Amino acid sequence: NGKNLNKAVRDYVPSSLHYHHTLNNIKIGLSDIIGKEKIKSELAKVIASFKKKTLAKRLGLKRHNLLVFEGPCGTGKTFVVKALAGELKCPLISISAKDFMDSGPKRALSSMISYAKRFENSIIFLDEAEKIIGRHSMDEDAMYDGILNETFDGVNSATNAIIIFAVNNMGKFGLGFSDRFLSIRFELPNIKERREFCHNMLNKAQKMADMPLDYDEIARATEGKSFRDLEKMCNYALS
């Protein structure tokens, strides 16, 4: 019937993407991100530029097709990528760095540009990008900048897709890379974010919901922990 056909169209994944993890119809959005008000403010500009290119141009907003999410592991980079895709109601094509370990950085960059041009209204996400395209992947800085010039120049005008790289340390990349990308920094969760995250996770379980938990104390005791650490601790408490 028509309902099933519409669902099939929404969930369809092109055969060329079967080697990658593609998510459609993502249900979360920016409102589901705990804290990170500065990051959400930056992403609001990206969303405006994505949805209304003419308006963005008139307001002087720069097209941000190329983003770098920089920060330690477990600080929410992947979750925010999913939330952005959900907010934009577009597919998320998630590519693993290991898929390109044997083919080298040029092949990885070229493939991402190819996907961006072919799948216009989508997000192309590469996690742990420094494993294949950091300075250590290149023989010389001149080669590094040459590959970037060849693959990324003109991307803003060529596609409406968004390319996002997640990296732990921007120090592994040269100026030729950072000059082309909007860099958004992720930090370990602050005390308010830790409190809200633990409250949301533990309060979902009935056995925890009825317990007089001191979430302020939990937040203070978990200073220096990432969201990933907090998730593991909460899951352990719920097991």
Side-chain angles (χ1 to χ4, degrees):
N1 58 35
K3 185 176 181 180
N4 289 337
L5 177 59
N6 289 337
K7 183 179 186 302
V9 170
R10 287 198 309 270
D11 296 341
Y12 169 70
V13 176
S15 58
S16 60
L17 295 176
H18 283 173
Y19 291 106
H20 306 302
H21 186 49
T22 303
L23 294 175
N24 289 293
N25 201 26
I26 297 172
K27 299 299 185 182
I28 62 174
L30 294 193
S31 62
D32 296 292
I33 299 172
I34 294 175
K36 303 191 181 302
E37 298 306 321
K38 185 176 180 180
I39 290 175
K40 287 188 278 192
S41 177
E42 288 284 357
L43 293 180
K45 299 174 186 177
V46 174
I47 291 168
S49 182
F50 183 92
K51 289 183 175 180
K52 300 180 179 180
K53 288 184 282 187
T54 302
L55 176 62
K57 184 176 181 180
R58 192 169 76 242
L59 295 176
L61 294 178
K62 182 180 178 182
R63 291 283 309 286
H64 290 312
N65 293 67
L66 305 177
L67 308 180
V68 171
F69 286 1
E70 178 198 6
C73 294
T75 49
K77 298 189 292 293
T78 300
F79 183 84
V80 172
V81 171
K82 291 179 181 178
L84 179 60
E87 192 75 28
L88 291 172
K89 296 180 173 56
C90 68
L92 170 59
I93 302 168
S94 185
I95 300 174
S96 173
K98 67 181 181 181
D99 294 340
F100 295 101
M101 292 299 285
D102 295 330
S103 55
K106 185 172 182 179
R107 172 71 182 279
L109 295 172
S110 297
S111 294
M112 294 190 73
I113 294 298
S114 176
Y115 289 146
K117 291 179 178 178
R118 183 174 178 186
F119 305 107
E120 275 278 312
N121 295 302
S122 64
I123 291 179
I124 321 293
F125 175 54
L126 177 64
D127 199 7
E128 298 181 309
E130 62 262 50
K131 287 186 176 180
I132 51 174
I133 60 171
R135 279 179 177 270
H136 65 281
S137 306
M138 313 290 186
D139 294 330
E140 299 176 355
D141 284 351
M143 176 186 176
Y144 182 96
D145 289 335
I147 290 176
L148 291 172
N149 287 334
E150 183 179 343
T151 53
F152 284 123
D153 282 357
V155 170
N156 279 334
S157 59
T159 178
N160 198 45
I162 297 173
I163 293 176
I164 302 177
F165 289 170
V167 304
N168 296 331
N169 181 7
M170 278 294 288
K172 295 182 178 180
F173 299 85
L175 290 175
F177 183 89
S178 57
D179 285 349
R180 290 170 172 80
F181 284 75
L182 169 65
S183 181
I184 297 179
R185 175 71 187 175
F186 284 68
E187 305 288 354
L188 291 170
N190 60 36
I191 189 168
K192 290 183 179 180
E193 292 168 346
R194 296 195 302 274
R195 187 191 191 287
E196 184 176 352
F197 183 88
C198 291
H199 178 272
N200 289 351
M201 281 207 70
L202 296 176
N203 205 44
K204 290 178 183 178
Q206 186 61 42
K207 67 175 184 179
M208 291 293 188
D210 296 332
M211 295 177 63
L213 297 176
D214 187 342
Y215 287 104
D216 291 326
E217 177 58 30
I218 292 173
R220 287 192 292 270
T222 53
E223 183 177 359
K225 301 296 184 183
S226 69
F227 284 119
R228 188 174 300 169
D229 295 329
L230 296 175
E231 183 178 24
K232 290 179 181 178
M233 293 168 61
C234 290
N235 285 334
Y236 179 78
L238 294 171
S239 62

